[in-house]
Amino acid sequence: MRRMNGLAVMAVVLMMGFSGGSAAAKDTIKIGAFFDLSGPAAFIGTPTKLVADMVVDKINKEGGVNGTPIELIVGDTEGDPAKAVNIAKKFIYKDKVAAIIGPTRTGTGMAVKKIIHGGRVPAFMTVGGDPVIMGGEKLGPFDWVFKSPQRSSVAVKRLYMYLKDKGLTKIALLTASDGFGKDGVRWLTTLAPEFGIEVIAQEAFGPTDTDMTAQLTNAKNAGPQALVVWTIGPAGSIVSKNKAQLGIDLPLFQCHGLPDPKYIELAGKASEGDRMPATKLMVADALPDSDPQKPVIKEFIRLYTDVYGYDKQFPINTHSGYAWDAIMIVADAMKKAGVKADDLRSAIEQTKGYVGVSGVYNLTPEDHNGLDVDSMVIVQVRDGKFVMAD
Amino acid sequence: MSGFQDLLQFVFAGITSGAIYALIALGFCVVHNTIGIVNFAQVDFVSLGGMFLFSGLFWSGLPMVVALPCAVAAVTLVGIVVERLGVRPSRSQNHLVLIFLTIGISIILRGGMKLIWGKNRMAVPPLAGEEPLRIAGAAILPQAVAILVITTLAIGLLVFFFRGTRLGLCMRAVASNQTAAAVVGIPVGRVKAASFALAGGLGGLAGVLVTPITTLSYDVGVLLGLKGFAAAILGGFGSFPGAVLGGLLLGLLESLSAGYWSSAYKDVSAFVVLLLVLFVRPKGLLGK
């Protein structure tokens, strides 16, 4: 009997193989999605994956890509560049995906950049750092790589516009020693003169450090008007707590990676008054009705909280919308140009005026992100909540 | 004056990190002294301690005085379960096998924590209040002082336990020669279970004390474990006073080089000193 079953299965498989060689490939459009589902950035990667599931569901319910549903193939990078490279290769050469979404962090993004270029599959990353979409000898070509979160340089510009506006021109930097922090330092120091801002102290800390009072003491002694911190994860909250502990009475500014209810939870009362650049998602209710993003953001929040209930485990934060925008742009491009790699790539590159959760995207061959300073607002912690900063 | 105040602040920063490293190093040393291996699951006992405290406080609504001992007791229990179900069935005395087993157990524990408590970071309230103590203008968290005091107390108790009590002596006997210990009538199985219970208890204690400063997540122990391990080696692996000395020294090296040299290279300077010490004294500062 068992043998018969085996034979039957084989017959079915063979039949499928003969009848549907091309039809099977048309059944679904495969998109590979890999994020940090475990490891130190799992708290970013996991909700990103949930949003990816949500948006693919939405697209498929609305008829998929011209009638063909999207199939998401998920991988876990574990925050490990070597694992990310393996998964990217699997996506490209085994699963033969039409496009790739992810990974989560700058380090893993840089590790797969070359593989993606060699495999000629468009990848829309959700990483924070800019090097993935920067060219040049050292960083390699970025023809096939796009990213949906704002560039660090855009976040820095938005922050500096605000600082200049407030007359805070002497700043001290405290940055993480990882890839994201170093990317931040590069832009913070090179863009400062453009805004008439002077960086008078630079301190670094490890992303898993537990005490930053030594760095804060040195930063304070330099006599700045404001502290600017560039890191993601709990280290940012620890800086805020340590600042309160030392009684340093200076305004604290964080980067665009930290607007997250968790930040307030971890830093407690100390976070009161801290300001940071964020996507408009963080202050959806405060947006004017004339803002073109408002309906998209409202729809996103409705699906995220009311329909899928993700907010119980992962309250909406500034990262939440990035996977939505990445997949939406790729799906829109597929609707226009199909799934052939070259056509899809140039269709993504020509995306203009896509209104997303994180901003209005206008991509060009030089700019594979497409967001500018107007996609960000400065938010402030007030009474344990994020509100628009004055 | 302000120079002195800065120095004091750097020292306090070093003590805060150092106390955390020391407490985690102590956990490594206990298992080393009782079973003779490096227990890699020790770091997950630390995370578990924080997790149980969090659940006790926020899921069951227990007050701190009840939740804290409950959390430590729960991790102690986990330690016993780990020994019964994870280590004992291997029936192995080969250290390499046992060490690899603890790595496997560590991965399982972390997976379990991820499923139960999720992957997000959590905040645990401190035992000793949030208001920093101010001494000559420099500030230190009362929690850091509490960690140091409790660590010192724990060392006193451990030394007494291993030198003065029957069970402690049995543990040392089993660690040094299992067969001989069995021959003279020591119940090796039960003693080993007790060793893991002790390791779990210490790890849990470290967890409930450390996570209010570091914030809590399922992998917080692993991230702190590396520094704790380095501290244990610096002090002399297996030596209790060495764990404290190593932890504090590592913390102070980090904060002083961040304060007076470069914060970007503080880990480099700390680990260069660690290497230099090991070149001169391969057994660590207080190693035997």
Side-chain angles (χ1 to χ4, degrees):
Chain A
M1 193 59 206
R2 207 171 238 189
R3 205 189 169 85
M4 289 285 283
N5 275 346
L7 280 173
V9 169
M10 227 163 121
V12 170
V13 169
L14 278 174
M15 261 162 25
M16 273 168 59
F18 281 122
S19 64
S22 57
K26 262 188 191 165
D27 273 344
T28 57
I29 295 172
K30 286 182 186 164
I31 292 183
F34 61 152
F35 308 110
D36 286 20
L37 301 180
S38 49
F43 67 98
I44 301 175
T46 311
T48 312
K49 186 235 161 211
L50 294 175
V51 169
D53 286 339
M54 178 175 104
V55 66
V56 166
D57 264 4
K58 178 183 155 77
I59 292 172
N60 287 344
K61 271 184 201 148
E62 290 168 0
V65 175
N66 302 332
T68 317
I70 292 174
E71 182 191 348
L72 209 58
I73 301 173
V74 177
D76 179 5
T77 62
E78 299 172 34
D80 178 353
K83 291 240 166 65
V85 165
N86 284 341
I87 299 172
K89 284 182 179 159
K90 172 183 163 283
F91 281 163
I92 297 170
Y93 300 107
K94 184 160 167 282
D95 301 326
K96 303 208 182 303
V97 297
I100 293 174
I101 307 294
T104 304
R105 287 203 298 177
T106 313
T108 40
M110 285 309 284
V112 299
K113 188 177 176 185
K114 223 172 159 182
I115 311 290
I116 284 165
H117 188 79
R120 301 175 72 77
V121 171
F124 224 111
M125 298 190 178
T126 51
V127 305
D130 298 1
V132 293
I133 51 164
M134 284 163 65
E137 233 171 81
K138 237 172 114 186
L139 300 173
F142 62 96
D143 302 353
W144 295 85
V145 179
F146 304 85
K147 83 175 192 112
S148 56
Q150 279 86 355
R151 291 166 181 267
S152 296
S153 52
V154 167
V156 169
K157 278 184 200 160
R158 184 68 190 85
L159 180 65
Y160 277 177
M161 280 163 61
Y162 183 84
L163 290 177
K164 194 182 168 191
D165 198 39
K166 297 284 168 205
L168 303 166
T169 54
K170 280 186 182 169
I171 60 167
L173 303 182
L174 290 108
T175 56
S177 55
D178 57 1
F180 180 78
K182 284 181 185 149
D183 189 40
V185 178
R186 181 167 61 229
W187 292 114
L188 285 162
T189 45
T190 51
L191 290 172
E194 219 176 282
F195 291 84
I197 284 170
E198 198 188 341
V199 176
I200 55 172
Q202 274 192 53
E203 296 288 330
F205 54 82
T208 59
D209 280 1
T210 50
D211 188 286
M212 286 75 163
T213 50
Q215 290 91 330
L216 278 165
T217 304
N218 277 349
K220 180 197 73 180
N221 287 347
Q225 293 169 308
L227 300 170
V228 175
V229 186
W230 216 263
T231 182
I232 47 170
S237 319
I238 296 178
V239 174
S240 178
K241 266 167 116 170
N242 284 164
K243 186 198 124 201
Q245 179 191 334
L246 294 176
I248 297 176
D249 191 23
L250 287 170
L252 179 74
F253 293 87
Q254 298 274 3
C255 76
H256 60 310
L258 279 182
D260 182 337
K262 275 282 154 198
Y263 174 75
I264 302 175
E265 190 187 321
L266 295 182
K269 281 200 304 285
S271 65
E272 199 67 16
D274 292 355
R275 280 166 279 184
M276 52 199 88
T279 59
K280 293 176 185 167
L281 181 60
M282 293 312 294
V283 284
D285 291 327
L287 293 177
D289 287 330
S290 59
D291 195 308
Q293 279 179 259
K294 192 162 183 174
V296 184
I297 292 176
K298 287 279 177 198
E299 169 70 358
F300 176 84
I301 294 176
R302 188 185 69 82
L303 285 174
Y304 191 93
T305 53
D306 300 344
V307 181
Y308 289 81
Y310 292 156
D311 61 317
K312 286 180 200 84
Q313 205 192 346
F314 296 102
I316 286 188
N317 63 40
T318 195
H319 302 279
S320 302
Y322 292 139
W324 169 290
D325 292 331
I327 294 177
M328 279 294 192
I329 292 175
V330 169
D332 281 352
M334 283 174 173
K335 284 177 193 168
K336 277 183 219 141
V339 295
K340 242 189 89 214
D342 286 300
D343 300 344
L344 181 60
R345 193 201 72 81
S346 52
I348 295 173
E349 201 171 75
Q350 282 153 22
T351 301
K352 290 276 178 300
Y354 161 75
V355 182
V357 174
S358 319
V360 179
Y361 289 79
N362 288 302
L363 279 74
T364 65
E366 291 77 37
D367 181 6
H368 275 194
N369 167 242
L371 291 178
D372 208 350
V373 283
D374 56 2
S375 64
M376 302 202 107
V377 290
I378 302 287
V379 298
Q380 181 167 22
V381 181
R382 195 178 298 149
D383 301 325
K385 283 204 176 62
F386 283 106
V387 296
M388 203 86 91
D390 4 83
Chain B
M1 189 60 211
S2 128
F4 173 73
Q5 188 183 327
D6 287 353
L7 173 67
L8 202 60
Q9 187 57 53
F10 297 148
V11 169
F12 283 172
I15 288 175
T16 306
S17 315
I20 293 170
Y21 301 156
L23 196 48
I24 291 171
L26 200 60
F28 279 120
C29 292
V30 165
V31 184
H32 184 260
N33 282 0
T34 54
I35 309 168
I37 60 165
V38 179
N39 172 23
F40 283 99
Q42 191 65 30
V43 293
D44 299 286
F45 292 156
V46 176
S47 316
L48 264 176
M51 292 293 182
F52 281 125
L53 179 65
F54 182 86
S55 305
L57 288 174
F58 297 109
W59 295 0
S60 322
L62 298 171
M64 182 61 106
V65 279
V66 185
L68 198 130
C70 280
V72 176
V75 187
T76 311
L77 208 67
V78 171
I80 296 172
V81 171
V82 160
E83 200 274 337
R84 282 276 158 173
L85 302 180
V87 179
R88 189 175 297 191
S90 75
R91 303 253 164 225
S92 174
Q93 289 186 44
N94 186 333
H95 283 184
L96 210 56
V97 172
L98 290 174
I99 290 173
F100 274 99
L101 265 177
T102 66
I103 295 178
I105 291 165
S106 160
I107 294 170
I108 294 171
L109 284 177
R110 226 172 305 150
M113 279 188 276
K114 217 173 359 176
L115 285 177
I116 299 172
W117 285 279
K119 298 175 196 168
N120 233 332
R121 284 271 171 171
M122 294 176 260
V124 184
L127 174 67
E130 304 249 19
E131 210 47 46
L133 305 172
R134 282 182 205 286
I135 301 160
I140 187 167
L141 286 176
Q143 185 79 8
V145 180
I147 292 177
L148 262 191
V149 171
I150 293 176
T151 310
T152 318
L153 270 178
I155 288 169
L157 286 175
L158 282 172
V159 169
F160 170 74
F161 175 76
F162 280 113
R163 301 233 170 106
T165 66
R166 204 182 165 78
L167 183 60
L169 288 169
C170 286
M171 282 182 185
R172 284 169 64 197
V174 171
S176 107
N177 190 332
Q178 196 171 319
T179 321
V183 166
V184 296
I186 293 174
V188 172
R190 244 180 287 161
V191 168
K192 277 190 171 175
S195 302
F196 264 86
L198 185 62
L202 257 178
L205 184 69
V208 298
L209 291 175
V210 161
T211 47
I213 296 183
T214 61
T215 75
L216 174 64
S217 73
Y218 73 97
D219 59 356
V220 65
V222 186
L223 300 176
L224 297 171
L226 180 68
K227 291 276 175 66
F229 197 69
I233 291 177
L234 178 62
F237 210 85
S239 154
F240 297 137
V244 177
L245 187 69
L248 286 180
L249 210 59
L250 196 63
L252 283 172
L253 274 171
E254 276 180 11
S255 72
L256 289 176
S257 48
Y260 290 114
W261 183 43
S262 154
S263 49
Y265 293 104
K266 69 182 171 58
D267 286 349
V268 177
S269 54
F271 280 102
V272 164
V273 172
L274 173 72
L275 281 178
L276 288 179
V277 168
L278 293 182
F279 285 149
V280 183
R281 277 188 67 91
K283 291 194 162 177
L285 290 171
L286 300 181
K288 274 166 242 148

